[in-house]
Amino acid sequence: MLLSILVQVLPVLALGNGLERTPGMGWNSWNQVRCYGLNENVVKAAADAIVSRGLHAKGYEYVVVDDCWQNLQRNPDGSLQANATRFPSGIKAVADYVHSKGLKFGLYGSPGTQTCAMRYDAYPGVGLGSKGHEQQDANTFAAWGVDFVKYDWCAAEQDGLTRIPAFTAMRDAIAKTGRPMTYSISEYGHEQPWLWATPIANSWRTTNDIQANWGSIAQIIQNQASLYPYSSPGAWNDPDMLQIGNGKLTAAETRSHMAMWCFLASPLKIGTDIAKLSAETLAVLANPRIIAIDQDRLGKQARRIQNDGSGVQLWLRPITTGQAFAVFNTASTTKKVTVTVPVTSGVVDGWSGSAVALVNKSFTITVAPHDTLFYTYPQTAGSTDPEPKFVLS
Ligand code: GLA
């Protein structure tokens, strides 16, 4: 309680590594291949596809290898090594390949003795977590050319660890290597990391693992509504990686997943086979106006300003050029709404980029089930204009 009050009144200094001034964008292997489908060809193919399908040009730059890259035991000197069947060329060669494409390379680690896949995916192995090897592992990562470390709690309390010291130990070990590495931590939001992780990490997970279905995505969005005060440049709430392209999401659900992650100023890690994305889904991931909202330099996460029980919600995010708002239909029926804005012109429909015609500062739209439409409008700094509002029509 006291911590929560202090965090709200004191400016908390972000981790001073200067990285992730806007949320990190890229690809991570986990939602695509989980544990047993991971190998170096999958990773290299992801790097190729980010570039060839135009996503690097839109800002997606990290290629992150999640759990199950490790050999089943450490080297005699205690250092980690790659699983030779999955990564016969070794991690450094894969990182070099990723770098040769102009991209950045990320790798998974865990603070306890076990990684999560050892626990939940029956990945065999001994002592693949970094407990007691923090500096050695950070040094190995730096030597391999790692640019991004995902450090995943899993169940490290069973190894006698507690979160703040354990996550801080790897932060400090990374700093000592002298190589800039983005530090992304994960403890699923179980102990309110938004209250303590700002000085420790560049992002922290706020949820349990996302699944490739609408129920999981919708639930995560609801749980983010109170977290907007805790995000800032270099220190982001992370509602987990994208499931776009996976499962049976409708086109509307795909748009909502992308739009709401961007309004939430979330890191954007694609977790599907990019080469196989349909043109329609690729266009959602590549929409320059929704990416611009995610990447807005103010770094202010959206606030839910209307949630009146109709199933339609309005989320507002201040951006450098004014305001952005999302009209999110959580219901499974189509909704027609009239939105009133505090301006007489300058409203842009984000998905299409077209200007919106206003009548008496209002416009009427139809929002499909589970869909999200979003808009921007200019606002002068310090403006005390009223917030946008909708009524069902
Ligand atoms: C946890 C994390 C996932 C993934 C797996 C790997 O479940 O939340 O994102 O990293 O571990 O085992």
Side-chain angles (χ1 to χ4, degrees):
M1 186 61 189
L2 180 63
L3 182 60
S4 153
I5 292 167
L6 280 176
V7 165
Q8 289 181 42
V9 296
L10 295 174
V12 181
L13 286 181
L15 170 62
N17 66 4
L19 302 173
E20 299 265 298
R21 302 310 293 169
T22 62
M25 299 169 64
W27 172 91
N28 173 301
S29 57
W30 188 254
N31 286 347
Q32 180 181 330
V33 294
R34 215 176 152 100
C35 182
Y36 288 95
L38 180 64
N39 61 57
E40 65 183 46
N41 292 332
V42 168
V43 179
K44 289 160 90 175
D48 293 344
I50 287 178
V51 175
S52 68
R53 299 213 71 189
L55 291 171
H56 184 208
K58 302 289 182 183
Y60 294 88
E61 62 173 348
Y62 289 98
V63 172
V64 182
V65 174
D66 209 287
D67 205 353
C68 301
W69 60 266
Q70 313 88 339
N71 193 19
L72 305 186
Q73 60 199 27
R74 290 173 174 266
N75 285 318
D77 70 359
S79 60
L80 284 169
Q81 56 183 333
N83 180 310
T85 313
R86 292 155 173 248
F87 289 85
S89 316
I91 299 297
K92 171 126 186 11
V94 177
D96 287 348
Y97 183 84
V98 168
H99 290 146
S100 77
K101 297 259 154 183
L103 302 167
K104 292 183 172 159
F105 181 74
L107 204 56
Y108 172 100
S110 199
T113 56
Q114 288 191 305
T115 74
C116 255
M118 293 167 70
R119 198 167 278 275
Y120 299 116
D121 286 66
Y123 190 66
V126 184
L128 302 183
S130 293
K131 187 179 177 196
H133 294 273
E134 290 83 358
Q135 194 61 56
Q136 185 175 32
D137 291 352
N139 292 346
T140 301
F141 295 165
W144 284 342
V146 169
D147 306 297
F148 175 107
V149 176
K150 171 171 175 176
Y151 206 49
D152 184 31
W153 183 253
C154 205
E157 67 277 353
Q158 293 182 16
D159 294 310
L161 299 183
T162 50
R163 283 163 167 77
I164 293 178
F167 284 123
T168 302
M170 184 49 92
R171 176 198 70 181
D172 294 344
I174 289 172
K176 278 209 189 102
T177 69
R179 181 176 175 88
M181 292 189 255
T182 298
Y183 186 39
S184 160
I185 66 167
S186 166
E187 60 80 78
Y188 332 109
H190 289 178
E191 290 194 1
Q192 300 180 293
W194 45 88
L195 297 181
W196 48 262
T198 293
I200 298 176
N202 295 114
S203 64
W204 50 86
R205 281 268 299 277
T206 59
T207 69
N208 286 327
D209 289 14
I210 189 170
Q211 306 298 318
N213 63 67
W214 178 246
S216 166
I217 292 163
Q219 166 92 55
I220 288 175
I221 298 169
Q222 301 317 314
N223 293 342
Q224 307 310 301
S226 60
L227 301 185
Y228 67 90
Y230 307 111
S231 233
S232 62
W236 308 103
N237 286 314
D238 173 7
D240 206 358
M241 304 174 290
L242 299 171
Q243 288 285 8
I244 288 173
N246 301 336
K248 295 194 168 76
L249 299 179
T250 65
E253 290 164 352
T254 298
R255 280 190 292 272
S256 284
H257 186 3
M258 181 68 179
M260 292 310 299
W261 261 240
C262 292
F263 270 75
L264 294 168
S266 172
L268 298 176
K269 295 295 180 336
I270 298 169
T272 198
D273 185 344
I274 293 172
K276 293 197 181 133
L277 280 171
S278 70
E280 188 188 19
T281 305
L282 181 64
V284 173
L285 285 165
N287 182 289
R289 289 166 298 278
I290 197 62
I291 291 173
I293 289 173
D294 184 68
Q295 297 291 300
D296 187 83
R297 300 222 146 244
L298 288 183
K300 290 210 180 302
Q301 180 173 328
R303 203 160 41 90
R304 187 166 62 190
I305 57 169
Q306 222 182 325
N307 180 30
D308 59 5
S310 67
V312 180
Q313 303 180 355
L314 205 90
W315 294 66
L316 184 69
R317 180 170 172 181
I319 53 175
T320 42
T321 56
Q323 299 284 340
F325 63 93
V327 185
F328 172 34
N329 181 7
T330 66
S332 47
T333 53
T334 298
K335 301 282 177 177
K336 201 171 168 192
V337 300
T338 296
V339 184
T340 302
V341 289
V343 290
T344 51
S345 66
V347 178
V348 173
D349 173 326
W351 288 125
S352 70
S354 329
V356 175
L358 301 175
V359 178
N360 293 332
K361 296 187 175 176
S362 297
F363 63 105
T364 298
I365 50 178
T366 301
V367 195
H370 302 169
D371 207 351
T372 297
L373 303 181
F374 73 97
Y375 303 88
T376 55
Y377 62 88
Q379 196 180 38
T380 43
S383 154
T384 52
D385 287 346
E387 292 173 344
K389 241 198 221 153
F390 73 83
V391 290
L392 291 181
S393 68

